[in-house]
Amino acid sequence: MTMNVNAAAAGGQLEDEYLAEVPLRKERRIRGRSIAVIAFLTFCAAFFCLPLYVILVTSFKTLDQIRLGDIFSLPTEWTIEPWITAWNSACSGITCDGLKVGFVNSLAILFPSLVLSIVLSSVTGYALALWNVRWAGPFLFLLFMCAFIPFQIVMIPLIILTGMFGIYGTVWGIAVVHAITSLPLLTLIFRNYYKDIPREIMQAAVMDSGRFWQIFFRIIVPMSGNILIVVLILMITNIWNDFLIGLTFGGLGTQPMTVILANVVITTTGETLYNENMAAALLTAIPPLVIYFLLGRFFVQGITAGAIKG
Amino acid sequence: MKHLRNTVAAGLAVALASGAAAQDDELVIYHGWSTPAEVSALQVLRDALAEQGIAWKDMAIPHNSGVNVSLVNMVTGGNPPNAFVESNPGVYRDLAARDLSLDLTDLYESEGIAENLAPIVRELSMVDGKFVKVPVALHIDGMVYWNMDVAEEAGVDPASWTSVDEMFADFDKVEEAGFIPAAVGSQAFQVGYLTHALTAAMAGPDIYNRIYGAEPDITAFETEEFADVVAAVRKMSEYAGPETQNRPWNETTNQVINGDALLHIMGDWMKGEWKAAGKEPGVDFGCIPIPGALAVPVTSDAFGLLGGQDEATTEAELTFAATTLSPEISGAFAANKGATPARTDAPADLLDECNIVVQDLLAVDGGAVQNPFNISDSDWHQAIWAVMFDFWSNPDMTTEDVVADLQDEYDAIFY
């Protein structure tokens, strides 16, 4: 899903810029070959949309119809009851307050996680890109290697560490772990972006007796609009869709939406309410989608402005 | 900067305070149950505890997302729950090694609980000779639930079968009448459960324990009985029909409920689907063990309790155990969840026909064995699942191939 929206946004964006800069070519008539291509692409799109279709129609069916097992049929009797139940009164354990609990928790996790991870890595990226830091090269290499370490390997040490600091099982624990695990990638992104800031600007700032933090807050941060949007989208999706960190570090009452969703849909030894589960899955997927639609345009701008290149 | 630091410090203080908020009369209950039936069962327990002044702090973890891993994580992080659903004896041994295990033996003896449990449940509730688990719901891993209308139309009577062979003999009749005889879904765990249920039923407790015990005896694979089990699994795969590929167990059960198939062999938790569809045991569907079963494997969902706590908390935990194991609560819990009560003396009006079948089975001396999750090395029993699922999916695989593969797995795991 992520990739599709991305690609679509990128496509639209490139086309716009292309049209603005290059004189229009003469419009060609649609030929047989392009019809074939379009037909093929339509078929592909339909194929990939099939699961979404099934999820969508199932979420509007009654359980009696679902039990018949015909997953492609349209609902004979439309109902939005599953959506309401999923949001308001689906059970996660004995607490039957629906997904809205998880939604609130996810928001509570999202903000501190975003702030911590972005603050930490933008400063690191800034220092590594624009200041003469001793061991900067090896440090960067180390960070880069860290990006490849699976989370599971460092999970237990992180649990012990957060336990020692008394933040295990709280929103802060989750935020700190998100900040730590996203540090390598985000630092690299910020560093590559800041690397393109002309040396002259830095030299002028230093000459005006600017110090590390002054330059950062007065010059660098105001110039970081594009890259902040890129990182924001990356991190919002990342944190919202995260399951493992939320499950591992989320204690009592701080479980994110994904964990609540899993509680709702994973059947152990009982009946499965497919309509409710499908509605719940869609509800959980909506927030990152909305972010993409709202900010997708800026995402491409940010990337083309130098985030990923170099 | 100073302001920021203060904010962070304040945030940490709040976080710490909320982490330490668990009071003496409050128990954190950790489990993986969320379906309506399961929740109504938990509510019975919560209400009973509330009457005694114990508050229930609920903590649900998605089932099979590594429940026991999460438990270990929470213990490591210094934030363990007071009660947790856990069967694996290894976890209890780990807890004991950290002085976090609560021995319930005295409670079991003084309250007369032990003598009111079926022998197999007593076994399932002990680790290393001590009672440490509080059983709440019993399930037989391989029950046969059949659709009575289909049976009538096909002219067969599952209740009259006395052996697996008689069952297979009737299957052709069912096929001729236009039904799928046995709706087993092709998922590794379904085939795995079918295999150990058939092993217990056809090969008996001795061979079952030689295969699924902590230290498996590979000569058990060379017995004629085991070869019969493998042949029966093959027969089931042939009668299950092609449309069962990758079907989840509950959809497979729905084929039986809808009248497309005659029967399903699964854990008797499939009763939840029947009940959700508004069907009654004895009226719409019947239940029997695998015909001619020498033994039945039993799953006992049980709570463990956290030891090494202060006196008040320990007291509350013991109240939790005693309440859960009272005949009334035991019966009500199981009735709501669609299981069989742990206690043999649960009120009779809370039992349905299938419960009585199960209780009769458990009363037979030596007629029950423990679920593999309780006794096997987990690598080993996953390996059996994998081999049997290969066998199920590949019609060219022979019994000899199964035995050879299992021996390879054995060598890889135990040497």
Side-chain angles (χ1 to χ4, degrees):
Chain A
M1 186 48 75
T2 310
M3 289 313 290
N4 286 347
V5 177
N6 248 338
Q13 189 67 29
L14 286 176
E15 207 171 4
D16 287 350
E17 280 174 12
Y18 187 68
L19 290 176
E21 285 163 22
V22 184
L24 285 172
R25 264 183 294 182
K26 226 175 160 186
E27 219 170 286
R28 279 185 297 179
R29 277 180 43 232
I30 298 172
R31 284 205 226 113
R33 202 207 285 176
S34 45
I35 291 177
V37 169
I38 289 169
F40 175 72
L41 289 179
T42 315
F43 176 76
C44 286
F47 182 75
F48 282 109
C49 286
L50 209 59
L52 186 64
Y53 165 79
V54 171
I55 292 177
L56 211 59
V57 294
T58 307
S59 73
F60 289 107
K61 282 181 190 172
T62 59
L63 261 185
D64 285 335
Q65 194 190 349
I66 292 169
R67 227 170 256 125
L68 298 177
D70 195 359
I71 61 170
F72 294 109
S73 64
L74 282 171
T76 47
E77 189 186 325
W78 291 79
T79 166
I80 56 160
E81 203 59 38
W83 286 77
I84 299 171
T85 322
W87 180 254
N88 266 329
S89 56
C91 293
S92 163
I94 205 165
T95 331
C96 295
D97 294 330
L99 282 172
K100 62 176 193 283
V101 181
F103 183 81
V104 174
N105 288 344
S106 275
L107 283 182
I109 290 168
L110 187 62
F111 288 107
S113 303
L114 277 179
V115 171
L116 261 185
S117 57
I118 291 179
V119 166
L120 204 61
S121 48
S122 63
V123 173
T124 326
Y126 156 70
L128 286 175
L130 300 173
W131 292 84
N132 287 324
V133 180
R134 213 211 290 218
W135 302 111
F139 181 69
L140 210 59
F141 177 73
L142 206 68
L143 261 187
F144 190 62
M145 294 322 291
C146 286
F148 292 99
I149 295 178
F151 171 67
Q152 282 83 345
I153 292 180
V154 292
M155 198 164 85
I156 295 288
L158 275 175
I159 290 171
I160 296 174
L161 269 178
T162 48
M164 260 163 51
F165 287 108
I167 51 171
Y168 178 78
T170 66
V171 169
W172 287 99
I174 303 179
V176 167
V177 174
H178 271 302
I180 295 173
T181 50
S182 57
L183 188 66
L185 181 70
L186 292 194
T187 302
L188 287 173
I189 292 180
F190 275 113
R191 181 198 163 268
N192 284 0
Y193 182 78
Y194 291 144
K195 203 87 192 141
D196 287 347
I197 291 176
R199 283 262 130 199
E200 289 77 10
I201 293 182
M202 278 302 285
Q203 282 160 0
V206 172
M207 220 177 295
D208 282 341
S209 72
R211 285 189 307 271
F212 185 85
W213 291 108
Q214 273 178 327
I215 297 178
F216 180 66
F217 285 113
R218 296 206 179 155
I219 299 172
I220 302 299
V221 172
M223 291 174 74
S224 309
N226 279 336
I227 196 64
L228 279 178
I229 297 264
V230 170
V231 170
L232 262 180
I233 294 186
L234 258 179
M235 287 310 288
I236 289 176
T237 326
N238 215 349
I239 295 167
W240 195 273
N241 290 340
D242 157 72
F243 174 75
L244 191 57
I245 295 178
L247 175 70
T248 314
F249 293 87
L252 268 176
T254 49
Q255 290 177 329
M257 203 167 178
T258 43
V259 175
I260 307 275
L261 173 71
N263 274 335
V264 171
V265 303
I266 297 177
T267 304
T268 53
T269 50
E271 65 276 32
T272 309
L273 310 169
Y274 283 106
N275 48 4
E276 203 180 297
N277 295 351
M278 299 300 171
L282 287 171
L283 280 169
T284 312
I286 285 172
L289 271 184
V290 170
I291 297 288
Y292 266 112
F293 281 120
L294 289 181
L295 300 179
R297 179 165 284 265
F298 302 107
F299 187 79
V300 181
Q301 269 174 27
I303 287 184
T304 48
I308 307 295
K309 73 179 186 206
Chain B
M1 269 327 278
K2 199 168 182 193
H3 178 69
L4 178 70
R5 212 174 296 147
N6 284 341
T7 320
V8 171
L12 283 179
V14 170
L16 277 175
S18 64
Q23 286 155 19
D24 296 339
D25 51 354
E26 207 174 58
L27 294 179
V28 176
I29 318 281
Y30 169 94
H31 59 88
W33 286 327
S34 290
T35 65
E38 292 161 350
V39 169
S40 66
L42 288 173
Q43 264 156 0
V44 168
L45 194 50
R46 179 175 66 174
D47 294 345
L49 288 169
E51 271 174 31
Q52 303 174 66
I54 297 172
W56 176 299
K57 284 207 112 182
D58 194 65
M59 182 160 197
I61 297 286
H63 182 67
N64 280 355
S65 60
V67 177
N68 50 17
V69 177
S70 295
L71 181 60
V72 172
N73 289 347
M74 283 192 289
V75 173
T76 314
N79 224 346
N82 297 104
F84 38 87
V85 175
E86 180 58 66
S87 296
N88 185 348
V91 172
Y92 288 90
R93 292 192 186 109
D94 283 352
L95 286 174
R98 291 168 185 254
D99 285 330
L100 290 175
S101 155
L102 185 64
D103 185 357
L104 300 171
T105 311
D106 288 345
L107 180 83
Y108 269 73
E109 300 300 337
S110 65
E111 301 265 325
I113 296 167
E115 66 249 36
N116 283 306
L117 300 178
I120 188 72
V121 183
R122 275 204 290 273
E123 242 174 84
L124 282 159
S125 306
M126 289 175 134
V127 173
D128 300 332
K130 290 176 187 161
F131 280 105
V132 288
K133 301 187 208 168
V134 181
V136 287
L138 305 179
H139 291 287
I140 303 288
D141 290 354
M143 286 285 277
V144 179
Y145 277 38
W146 79 89
N147 184 318
M148 288 195 162
D149 294 337
V150 174
E152 199 176 314
E153 263 185 68
V156 296
D157 180 17
S160 70
W161 294 333
T162 58
S163 71
V164 173
D165 289 334
E166 280 181 34
M167 174 173 84
F168 286 135
D170 270 356
F171 274 2
D172 290 327
K173 232 195 260 178
V174 179
E175 252 178 4
E176 276 163 34
F179 300 104
I180 303 164
V184 180
S186 301
Q187 277 177 304
F189 99 92
Q190 290 191 53
V191 177
Y193 265 74
L194 181 66
T195 305
H196 78 243
L198 285 172
T199 307
M202 298 169 67
D206 174 48
I207 290 181
Y208 178 93
N209 284 323
R210 276 161 67 193
I211 292 175
Y212 289 98
E215 279 153 24
D217 166 13
I218 50 170
T219 57
F221 298 134
E222 283 146 19
T223 54
E224 212 171 292
E225 287 89 343
F226 183 71
D228 289 345
V229 170
V230 177
V233 173
R234 170 63 75 223
K235 274 235 157 103
M236 290 296 289
S237 81
E238 287 162 2
Y239 281 113
E243 56 277 279
T244 60
Q245 278 307 335
N246 292 325
R247 279 250 163 145
W249 68 266
N250 57 314
E251 285 178 32
T252 314
T253 302
N254 277 326
Q255 284 192 306
V256 185
I257 297 176
N258 289 336
D260 296 332
L262 172 69
L263 61 81
H264 190 195
I265 302 182
M266 236 291 122
D268 61 354
W269 47 80
M270 61 183 155
K271 193 159 62 188
E273 288 285 332
W274 285 94
K275 284 198 158 171
K279 308 286 185 186
E280 283 300 314
V283 181
D284 304 297
F285 64 99
C287 31
I288 46 166
I290 291 173
L294 298 172
V296 291
V298 181
T299 295
S300 154
D301 287 328
F303 280 106
L305 293 162
L306 190 69
Q309 304 299 297
D310 59 73
E311 217 168 288
T313 310
T314 307
E315 199 56 44
E317 288 180 355
L318 290 175
T319 310
F320 175 91
T323 309
T324 310
L325 281 166
S326 73
E328 292 76 26
I329 299 297
S330 181
F333 188 98
N336 278 297
K337 190 174 178 292
T340 302
R343 282 188 72 131
T344 49
D345 58 346
D349 58 322
L350 293 172
L351 302 175
D352 64 25
E353 285 203 13
C354 297
N355 291 148
I356 293 165
V357 173
V358 172
Q359 282 201 333
D360 290 348
L361 283 170
L362 296 183
V364 178
D365 207 19
V369 288
Q370 303 186 43
N371 172 291
F373 277 103
N374 233 62
I375 45 176
S376 301
D377 180 279
S378 60
D379 286 341
W380 172 239
H381 109 248
Q382 295 289 345
I384 300 179
W385 283 12
V387 171
M388 290 311 291
F389 192 52
D390 277 354
F391 173 74
W392 176 277
S393 315
N394 177 4
D396 296 332
M397 222 168 131
T398 63
T399 308
E400 288 78 53
D401 296 335
V402 169
V403 172
D405 282 2
L406 283 171
Q407 276 163 349
D408 284 350
E409 295 284 356
Y410 177 86
D411 291 343
I413 293 169
F414 294 99
Y415 285 100

